[in-house]
Amino acid sequence: MSVKAYRLEALEIIRNIREGNLSITDVIEDFLERVERVEKKINAFITLRSKDELLQEAKIKDRLLKEGKARGRLLGLPIAIKDNISTKNLRTTCGSKILYNYIPPYDATVVKLLKEEGAIILGKTNMDEFAMGSSTETSFFGPTRNPWDLERVPGGSSGGSAAALASGEAPLALGSDTGGSVRAPASFTATVGLKPTYGLVSRYGLIAYANSLEQIGPMGRTVRDVALLLNVISKYDPYDGTSLKVKRPDYLESISKFNNLHRRVKIAVVREMFEEGVSREVVTIVGNVVNKLVDEGFIVDEISIPVIKYALPTYYIIAMSEASSNLARYDGVRYGFRANVHGDWNEVFSETRGNGFGKEVKRRIIMGTFTLSAGYFDQYYFKALKVRTLIIKEFKKAFEKYSILISPTMPTPPFKLGEKIADPLAMYMSDIETVTANIVGIPAISIPAGFAKEKLPVGIQLMANYLKEDLLLAMAAFIEELTGLKNLIAEV
Amino acid sequence: MEERNVKIGLEVHVQLTALKTKLFCSCPSDYRGKPPNTHVCPVCLGLPGALPVVNRKAIDYAIMVALALNSKINEKIIFFRKHYFYPDLPKNFQITQYDRASGAPIAIGGFLKINVNGKEKIVRIRRINIEEDPGKLVYPTGSIITSPYTLVDYNRSGIALLEIVTEPDMSSPAEARAFLNKLRSILEHLGVCNCELEGSMRADANISVAGGSRVEIKNIGSPKDVEKALAYEIVRQKQAISKGVIVKSETRHWDDLRKVTVPLRVKEEEQDYRYFPEADIPPIVITKDYIEKIRESMPELPDARAKRFIENYGLTEYEAQVLVTSKWLADFFEEALKHYSRKPKKLANILINDFLRWVHEKELEPDRIKAKPQHIAELLKLLDDKVISIKILKNILPEIIINGKSPHEIISERDLVKISDKEVIKKIVLEVFIEHKKSVCDALVNKRAIHYLIGQVMRKTRGKADPELTHKIVLEMLEKVKKGELRI
Amino acid sequence: MRRKIVITEELIDHLAWLARIKLTENEKKEFLRDLNRVLEFFDEIDKVNVEGIEPTTHTALLTNVLRDDAPQKPLPQAEVLYNAPEKENGYFKAPKIL
C-alpha cells in the first residue's frame, strides 16, 4: 500500500481493510506515526492511549477479521473523542483542572455504540474548558493550534477533534455542539461537522454544559464519512430521557438516494446572517458557492428573519443559566480536584471551585447564577425562553416554504491565537451564525466552502428541518462535489 | 389541649418504599442495612454525563396518594431543579416541582379528616410534590458539632419521596400527631409506603403562637417526635412571650438526644433556590382516563373501611376508627373474623382493649407481634364455650402476642382449662372453708367477705374455677354451714 | 422602560457565594467590568415583545418518557469510590459541616 492510511477517507480505509490491502494494525501504525510527527505542534489530544495498548487492540481485531468474526461497520478505524464524552477507564477531563484526574466508571452510550461497531478509541481530544468557548483556547491543557496555520485557532469548542482530522491524526472524530462547537471548528479547519436534531443522538455520558441545547456531533473530512459515523451513533437510547424514538434512515444510503435535488429543494439565505459582523471575504466565498448552486438550477431566495438578531443574547442567557446548574456538582467530594484547605464544607467547596475552574467558566457560572436568581429570573432567563419560542416559530414558517437554509458558518476566517480571548463579548460574537440551530433544535452541518487569503479555511453552513439529516447530508454531498473540497489534510 | 392561637402546619416527606427502584434510576431501593455506597449508579451519584429517567410506578403512586387525599391532580407534571449546595446532594441541586414559572405541583388542595378525643377536624392539604431524597451524612463523633469531617453514603440518594404540605390548620401537638397517624394509615392501606421502616416518614413542622412569627422545626424523625417537638416549642415560645421577648421567624433543628429545639446557624445570605425547569425530563401528561384507571385499581382506604366495619359488623364509629388506625390491625381484625364471625363486636372489643393495650404498653412494632388472627379467634371460641374464663383469657393473651403460641397449647401447658365440674369445685371450696375458718365466720355476717373466699378458691385453682359457679357453690355451702349441715 | 440593572461588587459577592466560587480580588475587579458588558448584551432582548408567548424548555416535543420499576445492578462500591479525593470505610469523606 503506497499511500499512507492517514491520507485516506474513512470509507476508503474500510474498503481497503475489507479487501485485504491494509490490515487494521497497518492502519493504526500509520496514524500513530502521523500523531508522533505532528501532535507536538498541534496539541489536539489531552489523553492518547498508549502505543502498546492500541497495537494490541488492533492485533486482536485483525485476528477476528481473519476469522470472519469482525462485523462492525467501523472495522478497526481509530476515532478521536472529545474529552467531554465519558469513556470507561479512560481519563475524561472536559479540558478542566477540576476534572484533571477523573476516570469515568462507565461509557457514554455513543462510545458503547462505537465499540460495538469495532472502532478503536485513539484518545480524548482537547476542547475549550467545559465546552465554553469558540476557539479551544480556554483549555487547562493549553490551546490547540490550527493545522492550516499554527498561529491561529482551530475554532472551538471541539477544536481538538477538528485539528486531529485536519492534520491527519484521525479519520473520524466526535465533538459536541452547544452553540456551534462542532461546526465552528469544522469551518476553521476545512473539515465536515454535523450537529444533529436535538434528541437524535444520545446525550447519556456527554458531560453537560447546556443540556437543552447540546448534541454530540460526528466529524470527518468528507460528508460520507460523517454520514457513516452518524449511522452508528444516532440510535434511540432509553438512558436519555430526551432521546427520540423515531426510526433513523441509513444516512449513507440517503446521499445516493436523493437525486435531482435541484428540483426538490428550495433554498433560502437569511439576510440577517450575511450582515452584522460577517467579513466581506466570507460573504464572497460563501456567495460563490450559492451562485454555483443557482447555476445548477437551484432556486435560492433571500428571506428575512428579524428575530434572529436576538438569537445570540437568547442563546447565551439560556446557556449560561444551564451551565451554572450543570456545573454545580463539581465540589471535590466525589471526584476530581479538591482544594487543599481546611475549613467547613462551604470553604472547601468555594476554594475548590474557585481554584479548579478557569476564568471563562467562572464568568459564565456567575452570570448564569445571576440570570436564574430571584428578582432577575423573569426578565432574563424566563424571557429568553419566550424569545426562543418566537425564533422557533419563525423557523417553522421558513421551513414551510424552504427545505435548506444556507449561511456562512463563521463570520470570519480563523483568527489568531490570543486575538479575541481577552474580550469575552468579541468571542461570543463568533457564534452569531451557529447558535440559532441549537436554539431551535434543528440539524445543521458545516462543510468547506473555500479558502480566504493566506489559505485560511472558510466553511458554509446548511440547516434543515427537524429530522431531515438525510436531506441535509445529500445536499452537503452535492456541494462537496461542486466545490471539489473534500478530504483536505493540512501539511503541518 | 387545643389553643385558639396556636397554628401548626406540617411538611411531610414520605418515601415510596413500595417501589423496587429509585425515582430517576434503576438502582434497587432496598438500601437499609446495606454497606455504604453499594446501591449507587452514575445517575444517583450525579456523575458527569448521567441523566435521570422517571420511574413510571412512582407517578402512579403519587396519583393514588393525591386521590386518597382528595387533591386536584395537575394535567401536566414538569420537573424543576432546586439549587443549593450540600455534601449529601450529589448534583448540588434536587429535582422536584415548583409552583411558578409555568411549573406546578403534582396535586394541589385536598384534605384529611382527623379525630382527636372524639372531636373531628379537617386538615387541608396545600400541595403534593414528588422529588428525590438526598444521601445520608454520618458524623464520626456522633455529633454534627464536634465531627472534624463528615462521611457520606449515597445509597439513599435518588429514592422517591412524596412531599405533602398542609395548611396551618392544626392547633395542638396532638392534632399534628393524629394527622400523621391518619396519613400513615392511608399510605399503608394504599400499599405505597411501609412507614415502619426507619426514616420512611419525616416531618418538618411550622408553628406560630399567639399570632407571632412562624418558626420552622426541621429534622423530626417520627410522628411521635413531632408531638414532643411541638409541645416543647409551644412552651418555649410562650415563655419567651411572657418575658417580653419577641419570637423571631427562624429555622430550628430538633435535637433528638436532648429533646429540645436549637436554632440552626443563621446564614448571612438568604436562600435563593434558583428554580428552573429540568430540561432532561420531558413533561408528563396525566389524562383524566389515566386518573380514573388508577382510581379504580386503588385499595380500600381507612375511612371507607371504617364505614364498612360500622355497616357490616355493627361496630361504633370509635371502634371502627381505632381498628383502621393501622392497616396491620384492621387486616388482623378481618382475618380473625374469618375464623370467628359470630360476634364481631366482641372480637373488636378484645382487640381494642386488651390486645392493643398490651401492645402499646410494651411498645411492640407489628413485626414483633407473633399472635396470629386465628389465635384470637380460637381464644374467643374457648371463652364462649366456657372452657376458660375471661380472667384466664387476659392472663394468656400476652404470651400469645409475644410467643405466638396457640391458646390450646398454652392452656394444656399450663393446665388452665376452666373447672366447671361442680363436685371438683365443692371439694376445693370445702378445703378453703377449713383453711380459712375465720373468714367463713365473717362471711356469715358480712356478705362482702364472700369475695375473699371466692378469691381463695380461684387462687387454689389458679384461676381455672368457673367464677359464677364458684360463687354459687360458696353461697350454697355457706348456707349449709349456717344451717349447721356442714361442719368445718 | 424599566430601570437599568448594574452589577455591583456586592452583587458579585452574593452571586459568588450562591455559586460557591471563591474569587480573588483581581477576578472580582475584572468581572465587574466584563459582566456589566455582558449584561448590556443580554439587555438586547428587552426590545422583544413576548406578550402571550409561552416559554420553551424542551425542543424535542416528547412527553411521558417513563421507565419500568425493574432493578438493575448498581456500580460496585470500589468503582463508586475510585475517584474520591478522600474516602474512609466505604464512605466519601467530606469536609466538616459546622
Side-chain angles (χ1 to χ4, degrees):
Chain A
M1 186 82 208
S2 50
V3 180
K4 289 281 178 190
Y6 77 81
R7 293 211 170 265
L8 299 174
E9 298 170 31
L11 282 168
E12 269 302 293
I13 299 176
I14 290 175
R15 191 176 59 78
N16 276 291
I17 294 176
R18 281 209 200 284
E19 290 176 4
N21 304 327
L22 279 173
S23 72
I24 296 173
T25 308
D26 288 334
V27 171
I28 297 296
E29 275 174 347
D30 275 354
F31 277 102
L32 280 175
E33 203 188 291
R34 181 69 179 168
V35 168
E36 234 149 272
R37 234 186 349 120
V38 303
E39 175 57 13
K40 48 191 171 304
K41 298 190 210 169
I42 310 264
N43 194 34
F45 286 90
I46 294 177
T47 302
L48 269 164
R49 287 173 69 203
S50 78
K51 197 167 172 174
D52 288 338
E53 229 186 292
L54 288 164
L55 287 173
Q56 208 194 30
E57 198 179 330
K59 282 195 176 44
I60 293 173
K61 289 195 151 73
D62 269 329
R63 199 188 17 174
L64 287 172
L65 188 60
K66 217 187 260 176
E67 296 168 6
K69 296 197 193 131
R71 261 173 266 285
R73 284 177 284 182
L74 295 177
L75 208 55
L77 278 185
I79 307 231
I81 297 185
K82 186 175 182 181
D83 210 13
N84 60 354
I85 297 174
S86 300
T87 43
K88 187 170 177 177
N89 296 334
L90 185 57
R91 182 175 71 153
T92 301
T93 70
C94 291
S96 179
K97 176 177 178 178
I98 217 166
L99 286 179
Y100 79 103
N101 60 353
Y102 171 62
I103 303 195
Y106 76 105
D107 272 329
T109 298
V110 296
V111 172
K112 226 189 275 173
L113 293 168
L114 289 176
K115 286 180 178 174
E116 278 169 16
E117 297 285 353
I120 294 181
I121 297 172
L122 190 54
K124 309 302 291 296
T125 55
N126 202 11
M127 50 183 284
D128 280 301
E129 189 181 357
F130 280 104
M132 301 185 198
S134 318
S135 61
T136 313
E137 288 177 280
T138 66
S139 169
F140 176 65
F141 301 92
T144 296
R145 290 166 185 276
N146 193 324
W148 297 96
D149 181 337
L150 297 175
E151 297 307 308
R152 294 181 185 260
V153 303
S157 58
S158 312
S161 284
L165 291 167
S167 63
E169 289 178 296
L172 291 174
L174 285 186
S176 75
D177 191 311
T178 314
S181 294
V182 156
R183 293 161 283 155
S187 174
F188 275 11
T189 58
T191 55
V192 179
L194 170 81
K195 180 204 85 70
T197 304
Y198 185 84
L200 187 77
V201 175
S202 167
R203 283 184 304 114
Y204 186 78
L206 170 64
I207 298 178
Y209 151 30
N211 48 330
S212 83
L213 295 163
E214 57 203 7
Q215 276 288 280
I216 292 175
M219 302 169 76
R221 289 194 294 268
T222 72
V223 173
R224 278 178 172 75
D225 282 354
V226 164
L228 168 68
L229 196 43
L230 187 62
N231 273 349
V232 172
I233 64 174
S234 64
K235 253 179 106 167
Y236 161 70
D237 184 13
Y239 282 89
D240 174 355
T242 58
S243 177
L244 293 168
K245 257 197 173 129
V246 300
K247 189 167 188 309
R248 280 87 165 144
D250 184 321
Y251 295 109
L252 205 45
E253 270 179 31
S254 325
I255 293 177
S256 4
K257 208 176 52 175
F258 283 97
N259 40 23
N260 288 325
L261 277 171
H262 63 279
R263 277 206 264 271
R264 315 154 67 134
V265 171
K266 264 180 90 179
I267 299 176
V269 293
V270 180
R271 180 183 318 140
E272 285 81 6
M273 294 178 102
F274 280 83
E275 288 175 345
E276 177 97 31
V278 186
S279 89
R280 204 112 54 92
E281 262 192 299
V282 168
V283 173
T284 308
I285 292 171
V286 174
N288 283 341
V289 176
V290 176
N291 288 335
K292 283 205 175 86
L293 288 174
V294 172
D295 291 341
E296 292 289 321
F298 282 89
I299 302 172
V300 181
D301 285 346
E302 186 186 282
I303 62 175
S304 169
I305 305 184
V307 78
I308 280 191
K309 278 202 300 278
Y310 303 101
L312 204 58
T314 300
Y315 164 78
Y316 271 106
I317 292 172
I318 296 174
M320 292 194 195
S321 303
E322 292 182 2
S324 74
S325 175
N326 290 320
L327 271 69
R329 68 192 67 199
Y330 302 104
D331 57 20
V333 172
R334 296 162 293 287
Y335 42 81
F337 167 77
R338 179 193 242 180
N340 192 0
V341 287
H342 296 290
D344 67 13
W345 65 276
N346 282 308
E347 285 160 341
V348 179
F349 280 22
S350 301
E351 277 285 344
T352 296
R353 293 159 63 79
N355 199 317
F357 286 138
K359 212 182 288 181
E360 182 59 30
V361 167
K362 285 191 278 196
R363 252 195 295 259
R364 295 197 192 192
I365 292 177
I366 300 280
M367 242 4 235
T369 306
F370 171 79
T371 48
L372 287 180
S373 60
Y376 306 114
F377 174 88
D378 282 322
Q379 70 195 81
Y380 291 104
Y381 180 73
F382 206 46
K383 178 148 191 194
L385 291 186
K386 296 178 183 175
V387 180
R388 183 175 196 176
T389 304
L390 283 177
I391 297 175
I392 292 173
K393 277 197 161 104
E394 289 300 308
F395 270 75
K396 190 161 180 246
K397 262 197 278 181
F399 282 120
E400 277 164 16
K401 286 181 73 184
Y402 302 96
S403 335
I404 297 278
L405 302 178
I406 292 187
S407 78
T409 309
M410 295 298 273
T412 65
F415 43 86
K416 285 206 192 280
L417 281 153
E419 187 179 314
K420 297 197 198 261
I421 196 71
D423 183 1
L425 278 180
M427 191 64 82
Y428 300 163
M429 291 302 152
S430 340
D431 298 339
I432 45 173
E433 309 285 8
T434 47
V435 294
T436 24
N438 303 85
I439 290 173
V440 180
I442 50 174
I445 190 172
S446 176
I447 61 173
F451 287 83
K453 62 175 185 285
E454 295 167 30
K455 252 218 146 209
L456 298 177
V458 170
I460 181 172
Q461 174 178 243
L462 311 177
M463 290 183 275
N465 208 352
Y466 300 102
L467 298 172
K468 293 285 186 207
E469 279 80 358
D470 50 356
L471 179 63
L472 198 62
L473 287 162
M475 195 67 218
F478 185 88
I479 296 180
E480 196 181 51
E481 272 306 305
L482 268 189
T483 61
L485 298 169
K486 72 192 273 202
N487 197 27
L488 303 169
I489 298 180
E491 294 314 320
V492 184
Chain B
M1 186 221 351
E2 186 189 311
E3 313 236 4
R4 242 169 312 150
N5 52 12
V6 170
K7 282 189 150 155
I8 297 171
L10 291 174
E11 196 175 295
V12 190
H13 286 97
V14 174
Q15 283 184 345
L16 295 174
T17 64
L19 291 173
K20 298 205 203 87
T21 62
K22 297 185 176 182
L23 181 55
F24 297 119
C25 67
S26 304
C27 279
S29 60
D30 56 344
Y31 65 90
R32 285 178 172 79
K34 302 282 166 54
N37 294 303
T38 52
H39 277 239
V40 165
C41 75
V43 179
C44 54
L45 190 57
L47 285 187
L51 296 172
V53 182
V54 180
N55 183 336
R56 177 180 294 117
K57 254 230 165 74
I59 303 297
D60 290 350
Y61 285 176
I63 293 175
M64 266 208 285
V65 173
L67 287 172
L69 295 178
N70 307 290
S71 302
K72 180 165 176 299
I73 297 164
N74 229 306
E75 289 171 345
K76 201 153 71 151
I77 300 175
I78 300 178
F79 284 90
F80 270 66
R81 292 186 182 181
K82 174 184 183 182
H83 300 87
Y84 62 96
F85 284 84
Y86 209 57
D88 66 359
L89 206 57
K91 303 185 291 290
N92 286 317
F93 62 80
Q94 180 198 36
I95 301 180
T96 172
Q97 284 94 56
Y98 188 50
D99 53 6
R100 270 178 273 171
S102 78
I106 284 204
I108 48 173
F111 62 87
L112 197 69
K113 256 197 294 202
I114 58 172
N115 190 313
V116 179
N117 294 331
K119 244 185 74 184
E120 219 179 60
K121 187 176 197 168
I122 299 258
V123 176
R124 293 168 300 159
I125 305 289
R126 182 177 294 172
R127 61 175 164 81
I128 301 174
N129 279 348
I130 188 166
E131 55 190 39
E132 50 178 351
D133 221 344
K136 256 216 187 115
L137 298 181
V138 176
Y139 307 106
T141 65
S143 158
I144 190 177
I145 301 173
T146 60
S147 287
Y149 56 88
T150 316
L151 298 176
V152 197
D153 171 16
Y154 294 103
N155 281 350
R156 193 182 67 177
S157 162
I159 290 284
L161 285 181
L162 274 191
E163 180 188 64
I164 298 167
V165 181
T166 74
E167 298 291 354
D169 288 347
M170 291 157 277
S171 320
S172 71
E175 285 184 5
R177 183 155 180 200
F179 174 87
L180 290 169
N181 284 335
K182 186 73 181 279
L183 178 62
R184 190 171 131 151
S185 178
I186 290 177
L187 295 170
E188 286 172 352
H189 276 82
L190 287 176
V192 304
C193 177
N194 174 1
C195 300
E196 302 293 334
L197 294 174
E198 167 270 322
S200 59
M201 192 183 218
R202 305 171 322 238
D204 295 338
N206 287 301
I207 177 168
S208 72
V209 174
S213 310
R214 216 183 61 167
V215 172
E216 188 187 5
I217 310 172
K218 292 182 99 75
N219 192 49
I220 312 177
S222 73
K224 231 186 308 178
D225 288 337
V226 169
E227 195 173 9
K228 289 196 196 130
L230 285 168
Y232 173 85
E233 192 51 28
I234 290 179
V235 170
R236 183 190 78 85
Q237 287 194 26
K238 282 191 158 168
Q239 278 184 356
I241 293 173
S242 70
K243 290 208 191 112
V245 175
I246 299 178
V247 175
K248 58 180 172 174
S249 171
E250 60 169 340
T251 302
R252 297 176 75 87
H253 170 103
W254 170 247
D255 185 329
D256 193 47
L257 224 59
R258 300 187 295 158
K259 304 286 184 232
V260 296
T261 65
V262 294
L264 275 184
R265 192 161 90 159
V266 176
K267 285 223 185 16
E268 320 85 62
E269 325 276 347
E270 48 171 71
Q271 272 291 22
D272 180 355
Y273 294 117
R274 287 158 283 134
Y275 287 95
F276 84 130
E278 172 57 82
D280 290 337
I281 302 177
I284 298 175
V285 174
I286 310 283
T287 61
K288 287 211 170 11
D289 282 344
Y290 196 70
I291 296 177
E292 278 321 300
K293 218 176 83 185
I294 295 198
R295 195 198 297 271
E296 277 161 32
S297 72
M298 262 167 68
E300 188 182 35
L301 291 175
D303 281 346
R305 199 173 193 182
K307 197 150 163 270
R308 188 165 58 78
F309 284 1
I310 295 169
E311 286 171 5
N312 294 3
Y313 308 134
L315 301 185
T316 63
E317 168 89 37
Y318 170 76
E319 288 166 342
Q321 280 297 335
V322 174
L323 285 175
V324 302
T325 27
S326 103
K327 180 168 187 288
W328 183 87
L329 185 60
D331 288 346
F332 193 95
F333 170 68
E334 293 212 85
E335 188 59 36
L337 261 186
K338 288 192 188 147
H339 303 275
Y340 183 82
S341 51
R342 56 186 104 135
K343 296 182 201 165
K345 256 185 109 68
K346 199 162 181 184
L347 175 59
N349 205 309
I350 291 287
L351 283 178
I352 292 170
N353 293 316
D354 305 282
F355 187 92
L356 214 52
R357 190 162 34 92
W358 224 88
V359 165
H360 284 154
E361 207 180 281
K362 299 296 171 190
E363 294 187 354
L364 292 177
E365 299 298 340
D367 61 348
R368 284 186 42 218
I369 299 173
K370 301 281 184 251
K372 293 204 183 43
Q374 307 91 284
H375 294 164
I376 307 301
E378 214 180 286
L379 211 52
L380 284 167
K381 278 193 214 146
L382 288 169
L383 185 67
D384 282 350
D385 294 343
K386 297 200 197 295
V387 175
I388 57 172
S389 62
I390 186 76
K391 205 166 168 192
I392 303 254
L393 181 147
K394 295 190 193 220
N395 188 311
I396 66 177
L397 188 56
E399 194 174 339
I400 299 176
I401 294 174
I402 297 193
N403 295 335
K405 288 200 175 141
S406 78
H408 275 111
E409 251 184 278
I410 301 175
I411 285 173
S412 55
E413 265 176 30
R414 296 208 252 153
D415 186 29
L416 292 174
V417 176
K418 191 154 76 168
I419 300 176
S420 311
D421 186 334
K422 261 183 121 170
E423 297 311 310
V424 174
I425 293 181
K426 269 184 174 170
K427 234 177 88 205
I428 297 173
V429 170
L430 188 57
E431 274 176 39
V432 166
F433 276 21
I434 294 176
E435 286 167 21
H436 299 270
K437 291 199 181 110
K438 186 164 180 300
S439 305
V440 173
C441 292
D442 287 343
L444 284 175
V445 242
N446 185 354
K447 279 232 174 80
R448 276 204 283 265
I450 289 179
H451 293 288
Y452 177 79
L453 291 169
I454 295 177
Q456 288 308 307
V457 174
M458 297 308 272
R459 241 190 78 219
K460 267 192 184 274
T461 61
R462 283 181 296 122
K464 288 191 282 181
D466 183 326
E468 267 176 50
L469 194 54
T470 305
H471 189 129
K472 199 160 139 242
I473 293 175
V474 164
L475 280 173
E476 277 176 13
M477 288 175 73
L478 273 177
E479 263 311 302
K480 285 209 173 124
V481 169
K482 200 176 188 177
K483 286 193 189 148
E485 290 169 21
L486 181 60
R487 243 179 258 272
I488 49 170
Chain C
M1 189 81 227
R2 56 160 190 85
R3 76 181 201 306
K4 186 173 147 69
I5 297 170
V6 175
I7 297 181
T8 59
E9 199 177 314
E10 207 178 45
L11 183 52
I12 290 187
D13 281 338
H14 175 63
L15 296 170
W17 163 255
L18 281 181
R20 296 304 188 279
I21 295 182
K22 183 148 186 249
L23 294 175
T24 64
E25 284 308 311
N26 270 340
E27 282 173 333
K28 275 195 231 175
K29 278 204 198 78
E30 259 187 68
F31 282 18
L32 201 57
R33 185 195 61 214
D34 292 336
L35 297 184
N36 273 304
R37 290 186 63 219
V38 173
L39 193 57
E40 259 183 70
F41 164 60
F42 283 178
D43 283 338
E44 283 291 305
I45 64 166
D46 246 13
K47 305 180 189 148
V48 186
N49 181 357
V50 291
E51 206 176 307
I53 304 290
E54 287 299 305
T56 298
T57 304
H58 303 93
T59 56
L61 293 183
L62 291 162
T63 57
N64 295 47
V65 179
L66 299 163
R67 163 182 66 84
D68 287 338
D69 188 31
Q72 282 180 17
K73 270 180 83 178
L75 282 176
Q77 192 196 62
E79 284 183 36
V80 172
L81 294 168
Y82 183 80
N83 287 291
E86 288 184 53
K87 51 194 165 217
E88 187 179 282
N89 288 334
Y91 291 90
F92 289 91
K93 208 166 154 187
K96 62 183 175 182
I97 300 294
L98 293 176

